[in-house]
């Protein structure tokens, strides 16, 4: 056999064993991956919130007194009855007040005055009347305001990359292992 083949046959079990041992150590966390792996290991992802003013509208109602004027129908008293009764009462009074020859004239004058007063009474009672009344009505207004709410604002992520610990803010929590891109910036003075 060729010396090269013999050396390869002896080295192959050593290489396989070394690779298996390295895989075992990586799985146990005892051995770091190569520096150019490009993946970071998540340490923590803490949710971050921010306060936001949210506009609100509400309806506020209250009972308000409202005064209104209403015209109501009169009593509908009989005019002829009032004139007759007024005339009779006025005639009796006129007859009782005056004595002598002027008694008849006083009776007629009392009856005429009583009839007129009876007519005016009936007219006043039959006339529509204006009445003021108060009722309560509901009045509502739309009131604009605001309230404070907490809204999600991403995650403060701490991760390990190439043996160093970094912190950044991300929109969503990353998986346990995620790719990273390096950005190189020159150090200041």
């Amino acid at each position: 056999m060729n010396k090269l083949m013999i050396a390869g046959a002896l080295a192959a079990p050593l290489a396989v064993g070394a690779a298996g041992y390295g895989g075992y150590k990586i799985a146990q966390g005892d051995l770091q991956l190569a520096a150019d792996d490009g993946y970071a290991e998540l340490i923590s992802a803490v949710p971050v919130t921010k306060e936001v003013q949210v506009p609100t509208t509400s309806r506020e109602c209250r009972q308000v007194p409202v005064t209104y004027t209403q015209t109501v129908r009169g009593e509908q008293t009989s005019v002829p009855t009032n004139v007759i009764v007024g005339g009779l009462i006025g005639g009796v009074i006129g007859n009782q007040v005056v004595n002598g020859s002027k008694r008849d004239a006083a009776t007629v004058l009392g009856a005429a005055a009583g009839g007129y007063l009876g007519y005016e009474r009936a007219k006043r009672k039959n006339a529509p009347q204006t009445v003021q009344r108060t009722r309560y009505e509901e009045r509502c207004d739309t009131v604009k305001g605001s309230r404070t709410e907490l809204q999600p604002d991403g995650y403060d992520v701490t991760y390990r990359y190439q043996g160093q610990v970094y912190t950044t803010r991300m929109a969503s929590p990353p998986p346990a292992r995620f790719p990273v891109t390096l950005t190189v910036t020159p150090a200041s003075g």
Side-chain angles (χ1 to χ4, degrees):
M1 263 206 205
N2 185 336
K3 286 184 182 179
L4 188 59
M5 282 178 55
I6 293 173
L10 291 175
L14 289 174
V16 170
Y21 180 73
Y24 169 76
K25 285 298 198 176
I26 290 172
Q28 296 299 317
D30 293 338
L31 185 64
Q32 295 293 325
L33 294 172
D36 61 353
D37 175 303
Y39 281 83
E41 175 188 339
L42 177 65
I43 296 173
S44 69
V46 179
V48 179
T49 57
K50 64 180 175 180
E51 288 187 358
V52 177
Q53 292 295 321
V54 178
T56 61
T57 57
S58 62
R59 190 170 185 209
E60 291 183 2
C61 298
R62 64 196 174 285
Q63 295 292 323
V64 177
V66 176
T67 302
Y68 63 96
T69 303
Q70 182 180 19
T71 301
V72 294
R73 188 174 147 182
E75 292 182 21
Q76 300 304 309
T77 303
S78 171
V79 175
T81 303
N82 276 286
V83 171
I84 291 171
V85 170
L88 287 174
I89 293 172
V92 169
I93 292 174
N95 189 20
Q96 296 297 320
V97 172
V98 178
N99 288 331
S101 64
K102 296 186 180 181
R103 186 180 229 174
D104 290 337
T107 302
V108 170
L109 188 62
Y116 177 75
L117 290 175
Y119 170 76
E120 287 296 317
R121 178 180 182 270
K123 185 172 128 181
R124 190 174 59 250
K125 284 197 168 242
N126 289 340
Q129 300 194 8
T130 303
V131 179
Q132 279 195 342
R133 297 191 178 172
T134 301
R135 69 173 173 230
Y136 286 86
E137 294 180 356
E138 186 176 62
R139 298 284 167 91
C140 297
D141 296 316
T142 300
V143 179
K144 293 184 178 186
S146 66
R147 71 175 186 275
T148 303
E149 273 187 11
L150 291 177
Q151 291 185 348
D153 193 32
Y155 292 82
D156 281 341
V157 175
T158 303
Y159 62 95
R160 181 176 290 117
Y161 180 68
Q162 295 181 350
Q164 297 290 321
V165 176
Y166 300 94
T167 302
T168 188
R169 176 143 316 159
M170 295 180 148
S172 60
R177 204 164 171 268
F178 56 96
V180 292
T181 304
L182 294 178
T183 305
V184 178
T185 55
S188 59

